Amino acid sequence: MLRAALLARRPGVTLEGTVRIGRGVRIEVERGARLSLGDGCVLGAGSRVLVRSGSVRIGPGTRLDDDCRVVAHAGVTIGARCVLGPQVAVMDTEPEIGEVEVPVRLQGLAAAPVVIGDGVVLGPGAVVLAGAFVADGTVLGARTVTGAVAVAAGPA
C-alpha cells in the first residue's frame, strides 16, 4: 500500500481506490500525460506502464500479470475486470514502413489509440498494437498479435 500511496502523489497519476503494485513495477508518466488506475487494479511484478503522452486508463478490477508492458503515446484504455496474462504488451505505436529504401528504425512511429473493452482476457505473450479495438468479453490466445482491426467476441 505504501508504494500505491507514493504513486498517488505523482503529477498526472490518479488512483480511484485501492491499487496493488507488485515488486519491480516501473511507472513513468511524462509531463502533461495522465495515468488513471481503477479500484482493485493489480499491477504484477516486473510490469511497466510508460505514458509518454496522452493517457492510460486501467479499469477497476483489472489485473496485469507479471512482466506486462503498457506503452502510450496517443492513449490506451483498458476496461474493467480484464486479465492480461504474463508478458502481454499493449502499445499504441508501431513502426512506419512507407519507404522501402529507408531502414525501418529511421522511419519513425505511427500512433493511434488502443481500446480494450470490459472483461477481456489476453493470453500470455499477446501483443495489442496501435489502433486496435478489442470488444467486451473477447478472449485472445497466447502470443496473439492484433493491430488496427476490430476484434469482436464470438462469430461475426
Side-chain angles (χ1 to χ4, degrees):
M1 287 301 212
L2 180 58
R3 286 192 293 202
L6 293 174
L7 178 63
R9 293 181 182 175
R10 292 170 117 177
V13 176
T14 303
L15 303 183
E16 299 171 358
T18 303
V19 174
R20 291 183 29 212
I21 300 174
R23 297 187 99 136
V25 170
R26 189 170 96 200
I27 296 173
E28 296 178 14
V29 180
E30 300 290 332
R31 175 175 281 164
R34 295 183 319 269
L35 170 64
S36 176
L37 301 172
D39 186 33
C41 180
V42 177
L43 303 179
S47 291
R48 306 282 185 258
V49 179
L50 310 175
V51 191
R52 301 297 182 213
S53 58
S55 65
V56 171
R57 170 142 179 36
I58 300 175
T62 290
R63 176 181 177 80
L64 279 65
D65 271 341
D66 297 347
D67 298 315
C68 284
R69 303 289 184 261
V70 177
V71 181
H73 288 263
V76 173
T77 302
I78 301 173
R81 302 171 316 281
C82 294
V83 177
L84 281 64
Q87 300 177 341
V88 165
V90 178
M91 300 174 283
D92 66 357
T93 58
E94 55 188 31
E96 293 180 339
I97 52 173
E99 298 291 327
V100 295
E101 297 294 323
V102 178
V104 172
R105 72 180 190 282
L106 299 177
Q107 293 191 47
L109 294 174
V114 170
V115 177
I116 298 173
D118 295 338
V120 169
V121 176
L122 301 178
V127 178
V128 179
L129 296 173
F133 174 81
V134 182
D136 294 350
T138 300
V139 177
L140 296 178
R143 312 226 186 304
T144 302
V145 177
T146 187
V149 296
V151 178

